[in-house]
Amino acid sequence: MTKNPPSKQDLFTSPDYYNIDDLLSEEHILIRGSIRDWVKREVSPIIEEYAEKAECPTHLFRQLGDIGALGPSLPEKYGCGGMDEIAYGIIMQELERGDSGIRSMASVQGSLVMYPIYKYASEDIKQKFLPKLATGELIGCFGLTEPDHGSNPNGMLTNIRDAGDHYILNGSKMWITNSPIADLAVVWAKDEDQVIRGLIVEKGMAGFSTPEIHGKWSLRASITGELVFEDVKIPKENVFPEIKGLKGPLSCLSKARYGISWGAIGAAMDCYESALRYSKERIQFGKPIGQFQLTQKKLAEMITEITKAQLLSWRLGSLLNEGKATPAQISMAKRNNVHMALEIAREARQIHGGMGITNEYPVMRHMMNLETVLTYEGTHDIHLLITGLDVTGLNAFN
Ligand code: TGC
Ligand code: FAD
């Protein structure tokens, strides 16, 4: 993979229109600086080529471990960072500023694989997997969605059957980030009583395969696949003992959705900064396009929406730190901020004119990525209905 020419420098600084940095601790600012430096050094120079070739930069997993981006808010005794929720959010913001696919690598590993193992597995299983997942030596994936059950995971068909000293797993999962390169999968399946259970499936288990999904125009630097289970023998200790029902996987999604609310801000900031810079450099009708009122309207609305999103995620992080955030509050931030970022990417693309569709600028890549982010971890409309249910008490799902 060739690196970009040195002329294509990453000049990102990050806007802070409301002095939101004053709400952050010194540690938060230090963490942000170190993740930002890493993204500038390791992600920005290669990301366009990887996205163009639809290849996942798997060599970055170990580096994500080195910079503390894998499970940053889980306890240090398992090799994790022990950080607060705001620090976790800031890390996701900086990673997604680089590319949503890089943030996906970290948020799936931390929130969807390490978190359920930490929260629901036995101590032996935690010791076996968490330290190696934290360093990126092991890669994990999360299997909830099925070919016929996306927004409605409760209808899942994947099932486990008790076979004495082990379980037998059958079924399939679809659209699974990292599945073709994963060493283990956290999978959700129904038992004989139709109760959803969580379990760990390990690479190499007989009857387990992970075919890759090709042809994505979005999240191209992230690898996606299926999980196929044909009479897979699962040791009993790999099944989470206590957690039962949909709240198991949904509790993991709450963690990841919160991270995405910050990540989307990163993508939006990158598009905004690129558009702002371009608007001052690009001359039409004898003046910079940034001098036209219509361009200024776009930029003014962008920075307003970014600022509102920053405040939303910061406040949500504070509520999470205090143990007070509700799943519906998390839903609102995920939906609002991803939609905001996608709108900004589209407007920024317009400000760049024809150049906006090329890989000279990051906006089209962010825009295409955000189409996935709008859909995964609960679609935009599902999150609207979660808020609708929360404010009316009336359930649109049943
Ligand atoms: P419902 O009856 O509402 O809830 C069932 C149980 O779960 C509890 N609960 C939650 N618990 C923790 N966190 C949350 N966010 C929770 N939301 C609900 C709820 O209290 C209840 O508990 P209990 O004790 O009463 O049993 O369930 P429902 O079947 O009506 O479904 C509701 C709905 C539609 C909101 C839910 O199914 C949903 O969120 N659907 C969207 C599916 C989704 O988000 N899939 C994501 C797949 S993973 C993914 O996309 C990863 S992308 C990774 C990347 O690359 O970054
Ligand atoms: P559907 O549920 O079929 O929805 C189609 C449309 O119908 C949507 O617009 C939806 O909003 C709408 N709709 C559905 N129900 C309702 C309703 N009740 N009211 C109004 N509108 C409704 N899943 C995992 O488990 N693990 C992963 O790692 C993972 N990674 C992913 C990576 C990528 C690149 C993608 C694209 C998806 C990934 N997903 C993953 C799956 C993702 O979570 C699902 O795509 C998402 O939940 C939507 O499910 P679906 O695609 O089946 O769409």
Side-chain angles (χ1 to χ4, degrees):
M1 227 13 100
T2 54
K3 294 208 166 190
N4 285 334
S7 62
K8 199 169 168 185
Q9 272 181 6
D10 181 350
L11 301 169
F12 183 73
T13 50
S14 86
D16 185 15
Y17 202 74
Y18 259 43
N19 298 353
I20 291 167
D21 277 7
D22 292 351
L23 301 172
L24 306 178
S25 68
E26 230 171 86
E27 194 191 0
H28 293 145
I29 306 264
L30 278 173
I31 291 165
R32 185 178 65 189
S34 75
I35 306 289
R36 186 171 298 171
D37 288 347
W38 178 80
V39 168
K40 286 190 176 186
R41 203 173 55 244
E42 303 295 339
V43 178
S44 302
I46 63 165
I47 194 64
E48 296 294 348
E49 286 90 354
Y50 274 88
E52 208 172 310
K53 294 190 179 181
E55 223 176 89
C56 177
T58 49
H59 66 280
L60 295 182
F61 260 106
R62 286 295 201 129
Q63 295 187 32
L64 283 166
D66 292 343
I67 61 171
L70 303 177
S73 55
L74 296 179
E76 290 171 55
K77 79 182 252 212
Y78 299 112
C80 305
M83 297 175 198
D84 73 356
E85 296 293 348
I86 305 256
Y88 170 64
I90 287 171
I91 293 172
M92 296 302 123
Q93 173 187 296
E94 292 303 315
L95 295 180
E96 191 143 5
R97 205 281 299 176
D99 190 80
S100 303
I102 306 299
R103 195 266 308 134
S104 257
M105 285 162 98
S107 58
V108 167
Q109 184 96 340
S111 294
L112 298 182
V113 177
M114 295 169 71
Y115 174 75
I117 292 176
Y118 163 68
K119 190 86 181 153
Y120 302 127
S122 68
E123 189 58 33
D124 283 353
I125 292 287
K126 287 184 210 183
Q127 295 291 353
K128 179 175 171 188
F129 291 118
L130 287 178
K132 288 183 179 167
L133 286 162
T135 59
E137 182 181 341
L138 291 179
I139 297 174
C141 67
F142 175 88
L144 179 65
T145 306
E146 298 188 352
D148 295 326
H149 299 93
S151 296
N152 179 25
N154 206 24
M156 70 173 67
L157 299 174
T158 299
N159 60 88
I160 49 170
R161 174 169 55 81
D162 196 332
D165 65 344
H166 62 273
Y167 284 96
I168 295 289
L169 172 68
N170 276 291
S172 66
K173 299 287 176 181
M174 179 80 175
W175 293 117
I176 308 303
T177 299
N178 292 339
S179 81
I181 55 168
D183 300 288
L184 61 133
V186 168
V187 172
W188 303 91
K190 281 185 178 161
D191 66 16
E192 292 97 329
D193 298 323
Q194 301 303 301
V195 175
I196 294 175
R197 306 290 302 271
L199 54 128
I200 297 171
V201 186
E202 296 173 60
K203 187 176 173 175
M205 285 180 165
F208 175 39
S209 58
T210 58
E212 186 174 347
I213 295 173
H214 295 281
K216 295 187 327 234
W217 287 114
S218 173
L219 224 66
R220 288 169 63 80
S222 169
I223 186 163
T224 316
E226 298 171 51
L227 298 171
V228 181
F229 316 109
E230 291 169 323
D231 289 329
V232 185
K233 240 172 126 171
I234 306 291
K236 286 227 153 151
E237 62 268 24
N238 280 27
V239 178
F240 301 148
E242 303 295 343
I243 186 71
K244 292 185 178 163
L246 197 56
K247 62 177 174 287
L250 289 179
S251 66
C252 311
L253 291 178
S254 279
K255 284 260 163 208
R257 290 167 177 173
Y258 162 68
I260 287 174
S261 82
W262 282 89
I265 297 170
M269 284 176 169
D270 206 31
C271 293
Y272 165 75
E273 281 218 337
S274 184
L276 180 61
R277 212 173 295 118
Y278 192 80
S279 76
K280 293 179 191 169
E281 290 164 0
R282 177 70 177 164
I283 310 291
Q284 286 295 290
F285 300 96
K287 51 185 174 185
I289 57 168
Q291 209 171 326
F292 296 117
Q293 289 178 352
L294 288 176
T295 310
Q296 289 189 7
K297 175 177 186 287
K298 287 186 174 66
L299 292 166
E301 285 174 350
M302 285 183 196
I303 190 61
T304 308
E305 291 307 315
I306 287 171
T307 304
K308 283 152 69 177
Q310 283 177 296
L311 290 167
L312 199 59
S313 285
W314 179 85
R315 177 66 187 143
L316 184 59
S318 305
L319 288 172
L320 279 166
N321 280 341
E322 294 165 18
K324 288 186 191 159
T326 66
Q329 287 171 331
I330 294 171
S331 250
M332 179 185 283
K334 190 271 182 186
R335 171 180 55 80
N336 180 78
N337 292 8
V338 176
H339 186 254
M340 169 284 296
L342 185 52
E343 289 297 312
I344 285 178
R346 288 171 179 157
E347 294 286 85
R349 212 288 305 149
Q350 285 200 61
I351 290 177
H352 287 81
M355 288 308 292
I357 71 156
T358 70
N359 65 6
E360 281 294 304
Y361 297 92
V363 287
M364 189 82 175
R365 177 171 46 78
H366 281 308
M367 190 176 107
M368 294 195 300
N369 285 342
L370 288 163
E371 290 290 348
T372 286
V373 185
L374 195 77
T375 286
Y376 71 22
E377 303 267 7
T379 69
H380 183 79
D381 286 350
I382 290 297
H383 288 297
L384 276 173
L385 294 175
I386 292 173
T387 305
L389 166 59
D390 201 43
V391 297
T392 63
L394 303 171
N395 192 334
F397 299 112
N398 51 35

